Amino acid sequence: MSSSPATASPATLAGSRTIPVRAIPSNLAIKTAPTLPPSTDSYEPLVKAVLRHRLVYHIFLQSGLLTWSTVSIATLWHQDIISLNFSQVLFAPFRPFTLLVSFVVWALIALPIIVLRKSLLTSIRTPATSPATSLSIALGTPSRRRALAAYAASALLLVGVHSFMACVLESTDPKLRLFVKSKKHPYYLNGRILFLVISQLAIAISYGIRNIMLDRFVFKWNIASQKDDTNTNISPLGIIRIFIISTLLSVLALPVAATVFAVARFFLPILYKLPIVSSFLRPFTAHFLRGSWTVLLPLQHTDLIRRSFALEFMTFFIWEIADTLFDLNVAKQIPVAHLTADSNLTLVSGISSSDPTFKYFAYSELCTLAEDKSAAAISQRTTLFSDQKYSPTLWARLAREGLLLLGRDYQLFLRRGEPEPPAVTAAPLTAAVPTGSVASSSVPLLRRRIFKGSEEDASDPVLDVLASDGPISRAVDANVNAIDLPEIFRSAEAKVMPKAIKEEVQKSVDNTKSAVATTKQRIHQFASGVYKKHVPPVAAEYLDTWLRWWKIDRTSKIVEKALPSRELDIVVVEVISRLTCASLTEDRYGVVQRDIPRILEAFLSFLSAIEEYQIKVNSLYVAPKPDENLTSKELQERETLRYEVEKAGEVLGAMADGTFYYTPSVQDETVIANQLMGVFAICLVSGLKEGVARIVRMFGDKLLAFKFPPRTAQKLQGFLDYC
């Protein structure tokens, strides 16, 4: 009879098969929230695609059309437009020769400038406070020196194109060969070509210096801040302005070229006194030793002056057109978020870019979203506030990036634009060893007796003195380098210069420096004596005034150096303040309200620092009193200081109060006058003060629920009382 499992014996249970224990399967799993994609993958490619389209269809195309128009006018000038009939004038721009020359001129003049601006574009302003500092910084930068070389090469290539056009189109010989037409002296250089080369170099250097003074290779923040104007085409007023500037600088470059040509001829006989140099120069420049030496010699050749002016004007005009088109198309707003499936994700990813220009484009588009009152914009902002899919959330990332940016610029403002000082590394602490814990002995440990006897041998001290590492050996090693020994007897270890030799070398260096300083001082004294003796007092006064203007630090530039990214800071304040106000009705979960204390603290701290600095800057100028007897020079200096203080106040006021622009309709007759005079009236971007006031007006007494530091609370109380 078989037994049931309930009454089975232990032996039976032990012999049965063991069933393994398994966990119950489940579909639950821990999923981490995805992180935000980097800006280089989501936002920057879209902006670069738009910039690439603008480069091809706006910058290249418009600069090419304007170059074609300029070359067409130059072609008609070469052919004597008076002798041509109407059909020839009408179809001259469309001839294959004109189109070919236009393309060559565009490729040699406009294209290098555009490529140069694209490759050297930066978002960091040059920290210069005077024209002399700007020029010295630029000449010390390799990229700026390459830009000057590119300007010079482009201008010189146009001389060759002009000579070719003149030889092909003009009926008479233009005499623009490289060498003069002479069988006896076939290698004499043509003076006309040399004068054209000098004039082109003069216009290239003047254009390069102008770009350095205007900080042309920096992203044009002032154009980018005009967010309502999205037109990327150059206006007729802009063309007129470029025409006037090109004409004035081309006229000013002519006397400079004539002076350089005359000075070169003046120093040529001095070079001929050198034996080797004279034999090299004589086959090319011997004819320049004859003839008149006056500075006005080139001005006696009217045709040469007309050609030089035409070349200078064409070069400067095409360069300025290309640079203006680049500024307009690169600095204007680039809305790209609507091209993606998740606009909020794209914009928040864009503000984390390492390039400040991409940050500015992303914040500008977020500012447009924050200002929009449409139902679609409200829905997009609500989605932004309630996002929980990403880690960190979209609002947390936006607030953190914006406040970090303001914090870095706030610290930079406190340092007045100076770089952060290097961190001081503390010296490593070593544990103090008690004096009595270790027994000291003058005898090295390796030569001590391990098994020490009861009585010490009297010869041990003598052996210690004569040992290889004893006192005598150490004294010899310390002075072995003072003796002139062969290298074979010297140690292979690193040699240390004795103190006596070090002092002698240092004395020689000091003597050399003092001799150089003495020589410079004597040269300066000699030049000053000659200057005071031979230069008229009126000319010396004008020269001193110009040198003072050239070297003196501008108050406005010092303030601009402390706020290099003020346009970006203003748009960040605009975005954060407007989104914070919108969160009162559109934030379902109240995630934004948690950040209101630190937002207001950041705004008010920055605002307090700016207001304190503004008071300090305004105190620099004191209006002259009626009873003060000031000279005309002192009055001029006081007026210059007043102008600089006002400009500095505008820079600080833009950050504190906002940026103002005037944008009326095109049909208004006062538009041209206002744009030419730089008059603006409508506030488009608010500053720190308006950002705080906006939040205070929206939340009102609800801010009493938050805790603020005493200084922030005191500053905020003024806004509560006022608003």
Side-chain angles (χ1 to χ4, degrees):
M1 183 177 179
S2 62
S3 61
S4 63
T7 59
S9 61
T12 305
L13 291 175
S16 63
R17 184 178 179 182
T18 304
I19 299 175
V21 180
R22 296 181 179 178
I24 300 174
S26 175
N27 295 327
L28 299 176
I30 300 176
K31 296 182 179 179
T32 58
T35 58
L36 272 70
S39 176
T40 54
D41 296 339
S42 59
Y43 183 77
E44 293 183 13
L46 299 174
V47 177
K48 290 179 179 179
V50 176
L51 290 175
R52 194 179 304 114
H53 180 272
R54 291 183 181 180
L55 178 67
V56 175
Y57 292 97
H58 292 271
I59 302 177
F60 284 168
L61 183 60
Q62 293 188 36
S63 62
L65 291 175
L66 290 172
T67 303
W68 172 59
S69 303
T70 307
V71 172
S72 299
I73 296 173
T75 303
L76 294 174
W77 175 68
H78 280 294
Q79 292 180 335
D80 193 2
I81 189 174
I82 300 177
S83 61
L84 300 177
N85 54 35
F86 178 75
S87 61
Q88 291 176 337
V89 173
L90 183 62
F91 292 102
F94 303 97
R95 293 172 53 191
F97 179 79
T98 305
L99 296 175
L100 178 61
V101 173
S102 300
F103 176 77
V104 171
V105 171
W106 177 82
L108 296 179
I109 304 298
L111 183 60
I113 301 304
I114 297 172
V115 174
L116 197 66
R117 287 292 306 275
K118 182 178 180 296
S119 59
L120 300 182
L121 183 65
T122 179
S123 59
I124 303 174
R125 289 184 169 99
T126 304
T129 56
S130 65
T133 309
S134 299
L135 187 60
S136 62
I137 292 176
L139 295 180
T141 307
S143 59
R144 301 298 187 269
R145 294 197 298 267
R146 290 195 296 268
L148 290 175
Y151 292 147
S154 178
L156 293 180
L157 289 174
L158 188 60
V159 176
V161 176
H162 174 77
S163 302
F164 175 74
M165 289 180 60
C167 294
V168 172
L169 297 176
E170 295 183 12
S171 57
T172 58
D173 186 10
K175 300 179 181 179
L176 293 179
R177 302 178 185 85
L178 180 60
F179 302 103
V180 297
K181 192 176 181 180
S182 173
K183 294 182 179 180
K184 185 177 181 180
H185 304 287
Y187 298 109
Y188 278 178
L189 293 175
N190 190 351
R192 290 173 172 265
I193 288 291
L194 289 181
F195 185 79
L196 292 179
V197 167
I198 293 173
S199 64
Q200 286 294 94
L201 290 177
I203 202 68
I205 294 174
S206 64
Y207 188 81
I209 294 176
R210 181 173 181 269
N211 283 354
I212 290 172
M213 296 299 131
L214 294 177
D215 215 359
R216 207 67 179 267
F217 293 99
V218 178
F219 179 76
K220 293 302 173 184
W221 296 99
N222 55 346
I223 298 177
S225 58
Q226 303 176 20
K227 56 183 180 180
D228 63 326
D229 187 7
T230 57
N231 186 16
T232 56
N233 299 323
I234 190 169
S235 62
L237 282 176
I239 296 178
I240 294 174
R241 179 186 63 83
I242 294 173
F243 181 86
I244 295 173
I245 294 175
S246 303
T247 303
L248 291 177
L249 289 181
S250 300
V251 171
L252 293 176
L254 283 176
V256 174
T259 304
V260 172
F261 188 79
V263 171
R265 288 191 63 190
F266 177 78
F267 282 100
L268 188 61
I270 300 176
L271 296 178
Y272 267 76
K273 296 184 179 297
L274 303 176
I276 301 177
V277 177
S278 61
S279 60
F280 175 76
L281 293 178
R282 189 172 297 277
F284 304 99
T285 60
H287 59 297
F288 288 119
L289 298 176
R290 301 182 296 270
S292 177
W293 294 93
T294 177
V295 180
L296 303 178
L297 176 62
L299 302 180
Q300 299 175 4
H301 301 272
T302 309
D303 180 67
L304 180 62
I305 295 301
R306 288 192 296 109
R307 291 182 187 277
S308 178
F309 174 78
L311 279 180
E312 291 173 351
F313 176 82
M314 180 183 294
T315 305
F316 199 99
F317 184 79
I318 295 175
W319 281 346
E320 191 67 20
I321 286 289
D323 277 332
T324 304
L325 286 171
F326 189 88
D327 292 336
L328 289 175
N329 286 272
V330 172
K332 291 298 182 181
Q333 281 195 11
I334 305 177
V336 295
H338 63 280
L339 303 175
T340 59
D342 194 344
S343 301
N344 292 331
L345 177 64
T346 304
L347 292 178
V348 175
S349 175
I351 65 174
S352 62
S353 174
S354 59
D355 193 338
T357 55
F358 290 108
K359 281 179 179 288
Y360 186 86
F361 291 142
Y363 276 114
S364 299
E365 197 165 355
L366 278 171
C367 187
T368 304
L369 171 64
E371 294 174 351
D372 196 355
K373 302 299 182 181
S374 63
I378 294 175
S379 175
Q380 186 175 348
R381 290 195 296 266
T382 303
T383 305
L384 173 66
F385 297 144
S386 61
D387 167 72
Q388 297 295 329
K389 295 184 297 183
Y390 299 97
S391 178
T393 61
L394 295 181
W395 169 254
R397 183 66 172 270
L398 190 152
R400 181 178 182 275
E401 291 291 337
L403 295 179
L404 281 178
L405 177 63
L406 291 177
R408 286 192 294 266
D409 290 343
Y410 170 67
Q411 296 296 329
L412 182 64
F413 178 76
L414 294 180
R415 299 193 302 268
R416 300 296 184 258
E418 298 297 331
E420 187 175 0
V424 179
T425 57
L429 299 177
T430 56
V433 181
T435 308
S437 61
V438 179
S440 60
S441 176
S442 60
V443 182
L445 182 62
L446 294 178
R447 291 192 287 105
R448 294 183 188 176
R449 292 189 178 185
I450 300 177
F451 303 102
K452 188 174 181 180
S454 58
E455 295 182 0
E456 188 176 359
D457 191 357
S459 62
D460 288 343
V462 179
L463 294 176
D464 290 337
V465 170
L466 297 178
S468 60
D469 54 352
I472 297 178
S473 299
R474 290 197 298 269
V476 172
D477 291 338
N479 297 281
V480 68
N481 289 320
I483 306 174
D484 190 10
L485 295 177
E487 284 293 331
I488 193 172
F489 297 108
R490 294 183 182 270
S491 173
E493 298 178 357
K495 305 177 182 63
V496 181
M497 184 179 294
K499 185 177 180 180
I501 299 180
K502 285 184 178 180
E503 293 177 354
E504 193 67 27
V505 172
Q506 186 64 32
K507 188 182 296 183
S508 302
V509 173
D510 294 340
N511 293 336
T512 304
K513 289 182 179 180
S514 62
V516 172
T518 304
T519 305
K520 289 183 178 180
Q521 185 178 2
R522 290 178 179 176
I523 294 175
H524 183 266
Q525 291 177 354
F526 175 76
S528 299
V530 173
Y531 172 76
K532 293 178 181 179
K533 184 177 180 180
H534 297 283
V535 177
V538 178
E541 183 178 357
Y542 278 109
L543 184 59
D544 292 340
T545 304
W546 183 85
L547 289 176
R548 193 182 306 110
W549 173 88
W550 178 254
K551 295 181 179 180
I552 192 172
D553 292 334
R554 272 62 167 176
T555 305
S556 59
K557 293 297 181 180
I558 295 175
V559 174
E560 289 179 1
K561 180 182 177 181
L563 289 170
S565 304
R566 53 191 176 275
E567 294 86 359
L568 180 58
D569 295 335
I570 290 173
V571 74
V572 169
V573 171
E574 184 85 0
V575 169
I576 294 179
S577 62
R578 288 189 178 274
L579 289 178
T580 303
C581 293
S583 68
L584 183 62
T585 57
E586 300 170 5
D587 185 8
R588 299 175 181 176
Y589 306 105
V591 296
V592 179
Q593 282 77 9
R594 294 177 300 181
D595 297 327
I596 289 179
R598 60 173 183 165
I599 290 173
L600 290 177
E601 184 179 357
F603 287 3
L604 292 173
S605 299
F606 210 156
L607 179 61
S608 300
I610 289 177
E611 289 177 346
E612 292 174 2
Y613 191 41
Q614 196 164 17
I615 294 173
K616 182 179 179 181
V617 171
N618 292 336
S619 64
L620 296 176
Y621 171 73
V622 178
K625 299 179 181 179
D627 56 347
E628 289 187 61
N629 296 325
L630 300 178
T631 62
S632 59
K633 182 178 180 181
E634 292 175 345
L635 288 174
Q636 182 64 30
E637 292 177 354
R638 193 75 65 89
E639 181 64 21
T640 303
L641 180 59
R642 184 195 63 80
Y643 176 72
E644 288 295 325
V645 169
E646 285 186 358
K647 287 185 65 178
E650 291 176 1
V651 174
L652 294 172
M655 188 65 196
D657 301 325
T659 306
F660 296 85
Y661 294 100
Y662 180 77
T663 55
S665 60
V666 180
Q667 289 78 12
D668 192 354
E669 295 181 356
T670 61
V671 173
I672 298 177
N674 287 328
Q675 289 182 353
L676 290 177
M677 294 174 61
V679 178
F680 304 99
I682 299 176
C683 178
L684 296 180
V685 182
S686 59
L688 289 165
K689 190 177 297 183
E690 179 61 27
V692 176
R694 184 183 293 120
I695 296 175
V696 170
R697 285 193 300 265
M698 179 60 66
F699 286 89
D701 296 338
K702 299 180 180 65
L703 295 176
L704 299 176
F706 301 106
K707 293 182 179 180
F708 298 96
R711 184 178 180 182
T712 304
Q714 183 180 3
K715 188 76 174 178
L716 186 60
Q717 186 63 42
F719 284 90
L720 287 171
D721 297 338
Y722 177 77
C723 297

